Amino acid sequence: MRQIILDTETTGLDPAQGHRIVEVACVEMVNRSLTGNHLHLYLNPDRDSDPEALAVHGLTTEFLSTHPRFSEIAHHVCDFVQGAEVIIHNAAFDLKFLDAELKKVGRPAFSTLCGKITDSLLHARELHPGKRNSLDALCERYGISNAHRTLHGALLDSELLAEVWLAMTRGQDALIMDFGGADTQGGNGMKMERFDASVLRVLPAGPDETAAHEAYLDILDKAAGKPCVWRAQAE
């Protein structure tokens, strides 16, 4: 399962008013693990950023003028996201800019490139109705440090969102495989054999590991507003 966490920075709020993308970042996850593979590009928008946007990302016209235009790097973005699930926080905003940029260079809409587009903001609102669900708020809720984030940047925000997404969806992992016979077929067509867990060595956790585990359970308790399932089962 290949997922791409994507974020952009722009000169303003609306491409219909001539605003452009100035930064795009894509962070790759495969089977819910960060691979270290990413795409990060600054872009020359051929215009100034609105003062409000400049205050958010800090990318000056002078700095951006030394970088390529979207038309020169569109193929890199398209190739990187091809066929993947793309996860974006407040996807509608980024998609309208991506679609506008792709249209300018004669390419189809962004959604046609991806296997699926997932809006992490909508997912967060379903999990935490009535609460603040900005990236900063979610970092605080899930105990993810963003102290090094003084300005918004597409790459940093993508990396933070990847951690937030893993925390928000951790319960979706299947922890138990049901083997009906001595061996069976996996979902990918590979043959799987019954595994005898009794041959595994049992290594008890040390004091540092136990303390780290308890600290993580505290984070889960805070996010859920009640004792997490692990602690509820232990009582």
Side-chain angles (χ1 to χ4, degrees):
M1 180 176 63
R2 183 170 183 261
Q3 296 171 304
I4 302 296
I5 315 298
L6 182 146
D7 188 49
T8 65
E9 298 296 339
T10 65
T11 63
L13 297 177
D14 192 349
Q17 298 177 358
H19 288 294
R20 307 291 300 273
I21 295 176
V22 297
E23 185 184 8
V24 60
C26 303
V27 173
E28 182 185 63
M29 290 196 302
V30 175
N31 295 329
R32 293 180 58 80
S33 295
L34 291 167
T35 66
N37 187 24
H38 69 266
L39 178 71
H40 180 219
L41 300 162
Y42 293 110
L43 304 172
N44 179 1
D46 288 314
R47 59 160 295 157
D48 293 337
S49 294
D50 280 357
E52 297 82 4
L54 182 60
V56 169
H57 56 62
L59 302 174
T60 65
T61 303
E62 181 181 9
F63 170 77
L64 294 171
S65 66
T66 65
H67 290 83
R69 294 171 174 82
F70 188 88
S71 59
E72 300 172 62
I73 57 83
H75 62 289
H76 291 305
V77 176
C78 294
D79 290 347
F80 197 86
V81 303
Q82 189 70 45
E85 177 185 8
V86 179
I87 301 167
I88 310 172
H89 206 63
N90 191 15
F93 179 85
D94 298 81
L95 287 176
K96 69 181 179 181
F97 274 94
L98 289 164
D99 285 346
E101 296 285 2
L102 289 168
K103 185 177 181 179
K104 288 179 188 292
V105 297
R107 289 181 176 263
F110 186 81
S111 60
T112 66
L113 306 171
C114 314
K116 178 182 179 182
I117 294 176
T118 298
D119 190 336
S120 54
L121 176 59
L122 297 182
H123 187 81
R125 285 172 175 169
E126 291 177 0
L127 288 178
H128 312 292
K131 295 184 179 181
R132 292 173 56 247
N133 288 297
S134 66
L135 183 56
D136 284 336
L138 290 170
C139 284
E140 181 179 358
R141 188 169 300 143
Y142 288 101
I144 296 167
S145 175
N146 61 350
H148 50 309
R149 184 179 186 245
T150 55
L151 290 171
H152 285 256
L155 181 58
L156 175 57
D157 284 1
S158 294
E159 292 170 340
L160 289 172
L161 181 57
E163 293 187 61
V164 165
W165 180 254
L166 290 173
M168 282 200 300
T169 60
R170 187 170 286 114
Q172 294 179 9
D173 289 339
L175 299 179
I176 299 175
M177 293 183 182
D178 182 17
F179 295 95
D183 50 51
T184 186
Q185 286 296 116
N188 57 3
M190 296 178 64
K191 187 176 180 180
M192 297 183 293
E193 297 181 355
R194 182 183 295 276
F195 177 71
D196 181 8
S198 66
V199 302
L200 295 176
R201 293 172 59 199
V202 177
L203 300 176
D208 291 344
E209 293 169 314
T210 301
H213 177 66
E214 290 300 320
Y216 181 71
L217 294 182
D218 289 341
I219 293 172
L220 293 182
D221 289 350
K222 181 179 179 182
K226 60 182 180 180
C228 62
V229 174
W230 184 282
R231 282 180 169 155
Q233 292 294 328
E235 292 178 354

